[in-house]
Amino acid sequence: MRPIIEFCASNAGHGTDRLRIKLEQNPEYDVIEYGCLNNCGQCYLAPFAMVEGEIVEAETAEELEAGIDAKIKELEEWFNIDLD
C-alpha cells in the first residue's frame, strides 16, 4: 500500500510545511499539497493532514507526524487482513 497524504497550504503556519517536506522524502508515500482541502476553518485551528481521505489532526506538527504514522499503520493492518 502506498498511502496518499494530503496537506493544505493554508495550514503551513502550524509547521506542517516542514512535515510535508520531510514526508515527501519517503518513497513509500504519495504526498500532495493543495491550496485548500475544503475543510474551511480547520486549517486555522490546528495542524492537520488527510491520509487516504481521512482527517488526522493534532496539537503540534510533531504530534501530527505521530498521528499520520499511526493512521498509516492502521490502514496497512486493515489492508493485510486475512479473509480466509
Side-chain angles (χ1 to χ4, degrees):
M1 181 189 127
R2 187 178 170 136
I4 298 172
I5 306 167
E6 300 167 288
F7 287 90
C8 177
S10 299
N11 196 238
H14 290 285
T16 59
D17 54 341
R18 291 183 299 275
L19 177 56
R20 177 187 50 81
I21 291 167
K22 179 180 178 181
L23 295 177
E24 284 176 335
Q25 304 305 310
N26 187 330
E28 300 288 319
Y29 302 154
D30 284 327
V31 179
I32 305 166
E33 180 182 48
Y34 293 103
C36 181
L37 288 175
N38 295 319
N39 293 328
C40 298
Q42 186 166 9
C43 59
Y44 296 107
L45 298 175
F48 84 100
M50 294 182 76
V51 178
E52 290 296 320
E54 293 186 41
I55 294 174
V56 177
E57 63 181 325
E59 295 282 325
T60 66
E62 292 78 19
E63 290 174 6
L64 178 60
E65 182 175 9
I68 289 171
D69 289 342
K71 177 55 78 175
I72 290 170
K73 287 178 184 167
E74 176 187 322
L75 291 169
E76 286 174 343
E77 288 175 11
W78 173 255
F79 284 109
N80 289 327
I81 290 176
D82 187 13
L83 298 175
D84 290 337

